[in-house]
Amino acid sequence: MLTGVTAQAAPAANCPGHPDALGTSRTLVVDPRQYPLIGTMQYAKTLPLEDREVVLTFDDGPLPKYSNQVLDILAAHCAKATFFLVGRQANANPEGVRKMRDAGHTIATHTQTHPGNMNRLTLDRAQKEIEDGIASITAALGDGTTPAPFYRIPGLGRSDVIEAYAEAKGLQIWSADFPADDWRPVSAARVYDLAIQRLEAKGKGILLLHDIQPRTVAALPRILSELKARGYRLVHVVPATPDRPATPTEPSQWQLHPISEQVATSRWPRIPNFAYTATATLPAPALSDVDWRNTAPADRAQRRALRDALWSRQVTLVLDPPALPVPAPGVFKLPESIRVTMLYSPPSAKAERIAHAHAHEVSARQAPARAGKGKHAARVKPAKKNAAKNAVRVAGLKKR
């Protein structure tokens, strides 16, 4: 903590009229060709930052209404940032581009029209977007200089085609290490919360913001003040030139969290270089000792015969099936005491109605025949009403 405060004291003291300014702790010079893809949101590498160092980046400008306010806030903190500008915006507001340059910020590119489907464009269209964006910003600068060879893909819509073209052109593609989601319809308080929470989770890195959003303008002063209160330091990134060599770095510094000496694997002892007093020379094996092909017969029939000799053939065993005794006839006879009884089950109401109707129908058909038999006609009896009750159904068999 003391180291962080000391590192910030000098830059803040050089910000006249703003004793509480965050300031810019140092300038980092990078060679875009050394690591052409940075930002751990998408890539394995990021800028070679120390712990609690932050790089501010802004996309989509310039838009005078909000970009000028962002520049004023940064000036009040003597903070330097990198602006990824849209070519069409630069054509409409060249004064804003020059104002960013004159304030000492790094001017980078963000295509010509900010297409939302950059990763699905053909190579020709993607190339035109990149080239036109660089040309528009170069024209807006108006002094013959070109923007820094830093490029951010709109919407971070990366593709192998874009990355290969950018690397061939000497451009360094910047993703980010954490965003604040200020392009979404959220409050300024939410932008502040996300920026600080995600920075605390990472410990350092590239912060992605947008200088065309009112919520960013509202959240930025609080973000910068909180960075200073928590001991963070601001780093300004510029490209290397023949007159300005790249800052010396180690490959591990380009990792967000390089392997620390606190990790056990990094502290394991290395294998020492032993000095042997004497070594025994073993004879080299003969080629015939390892050439197994010389022992195999060349002819297919010989190989088959060798296989049959080495491996047992499949043997089919024929076994006599076991003879079971024939069952005696008495096994199937039932004892004399076993009787089968019909089990009675009362008929259902439906069956009773059907039987009753059937009895009436039979009685009606028999009545005229019996009436013509003289004296026997008087013996005809009507069907009993309870005839249906005599209907039975077999429910099963029961042994007793």
Side-chain angles (χ1 to χ4, degrees):
M1 180 64 72
L2 292 176
T3 302
V5 172
T6 303
Q8 283 187 332
N14 294 331
C15 194
H18 301 281
D20 297 328
L22 173 62
T24 301
S25 65
R26 69 184 178 107
T27 299
L28 175 65
V29 185
V30 299
D31 182 358
R33 296 167 298 180
Q34 185 178 7
Y35 294 101
L37 305 173
I38 60 171
T40 54
M41 284 182 67
Q42 295 175 293
Y43 306 116
K45 306 294 184 181
T46 190
L47 290 172
L49 302 176
E50 301 295 332
D51 289 339
R52 308 192 80 77
E53 286 189 336
V54 186
V55 173
L56 294 179
T57 65
F58 295 88
D59 287 5
D60 298 352
L63 188 64
K65 181 178 181 180
Y66 301 116
S67 297
N68 288 339
Q69 296 181 65
V70 169
L71 291 176
D72 292 341
I73 295 169
L74 294 176
H77 280 268
C78 292
K80 304 301 180 189
T82 300
F83 288 84
F84 292 89
L85 306 183
V86 175
R88 183 169 55 188
Q89 297 284 76
N91 290 336
N93 305 285
E95 298 84 359
V97 178
R98 292 190 288 270
K99 188 174 182 179
M100 292 175 180
R101 177 202 59 194
D102 295 342
H105 301 291
T106 299
I107 307 300
T109 59
H110 199 40
T111 70
Q112 176 66 15
T113 65
H114 197 289
N117 60 341
M118 189 71 181
N119 58 327
R120 295 192 297 272
L121 296 183
T122 62
L123 175 59
D124 292 341
R125 292 187 59 190
Q127 177 179 346
K128 180 174 176 55
E129 280 286 342
I130 297 172
E131 296 288 352
D132 289 352
I134 295 174
S136 295
I137 296 169
T138 300
L141 289 171
D143 58 356
T145 60
T146 59
F150 302 154
Y151 168 66
R152 178 172 281 160
I153 306 172
L156 304 183
R158 62 154 301 276
S159 72
D160 295 339
V161 171
I162 295 175
E163 291 168 359
Y165 172 73
E167 183 176 1
K169 191 174 177 59
L171 296 174
Q172 186 179 53
I173 294 182
W174 285 42
S175 181
D177 293 314
F178 56 98
D181 293 1
D182 58 339
W183 69 91
R184 301 182 184 275
V186 298
S187 65
R190 181 61 175 166
V191 172
Y192 163 81
D193 289 339
L194 291 176
I196 299 302
Q197 291 172 8
R198 291 170 176 173
L199 175 56
E200 285 288 325
K202 296 281 188 176
K204 61 180 178 180
I206 305 168
L207 172 59
L208 171 59
L209 295 169
H210 295 75
D211 59 311
I212 65 169
Q213 299 291 345
R215 61 185 68 92
T216 307
V217 173
L220 186 58
R222 189 181 175 193
I223 291 174
L224 297 178
S225 297
E226 189 65 18
L227 292 180
K228 179 178 175 62
R230 297 189 182 217
Y232 285 94
R233 304 177 300 280
L234 200 63
V235 175
H236 182 211
V237 184
V238 297
T241 63
D243 300 329
R244 183 174 55 192
T247 302
T249 60
E250 295 294 331
S252 61
Q253 293 179 267
W254 293 80
Q255 300 175 1
L256 184 65
H257 297 295
I259 297 177
S260 170
E261 286 296 324
Q262 302 300 322
V263 180
T265 56
S266 66
R267 302 179 66 85
W268 287 346
R270 291 183 173 87
I271 298 176
N273 294 323
F274 292 100
Y276 296 96
T277 58
T279 58
T281 303
L282 299 177
L287 183 61
S288 59
D289 295 337
V290 296
D291 191 4
W292 59 270
R293 293 172 298 179
N294 294 339
T295 62
D299 183 71
R300 178 177 298 180
Q302 294 179 358
R303 291 198 301 269
R304 185 181 298 110
L306 178 62
R307 180 199 63 191
D308 294 342
L310 296 177
W311 296 94
S312 299
R313 292 185 177 182
Q314 182 178 357
V315 178
T316 303
L317 299 178
V318 180
L319 301 177
D320 294 333
L324 299 177
V326 178
V331 174
F332 303 100
K333 290 183 178 181
L334 296 176
E336 293 293 335
S337 62
I338 295 180
R339 291 182 295 173
V340 178
T341 303
M342 302 292 291
L343 297 181
Y344 169 77
S345 178
S348 63
K350 181 177 181 182
E352 186 176 355
R353 289 195 301 271
I354 295 174
H356 186 69
H358 179 69
H360 276 286
E361 182 181 354
V362 172
S363 178
R365 288 198 303 267
Q366 293 177 353
R370 292 180 179 178
K373 292 184 180 181
K375 59 181 181 180
H376 298 287
R379 296 181 182 179
V380 177
K381 297 180 181 180
K384 295 181 180 181
K385 295 182 179 180
N386 58 350
K389 297 182 179 179
N390 296 327
V392 297
R393 62 186 179 92
V394 178
L397 297 178
K398 179 180 180 182
K399 292 182 180 180
R400 68 177 180 178

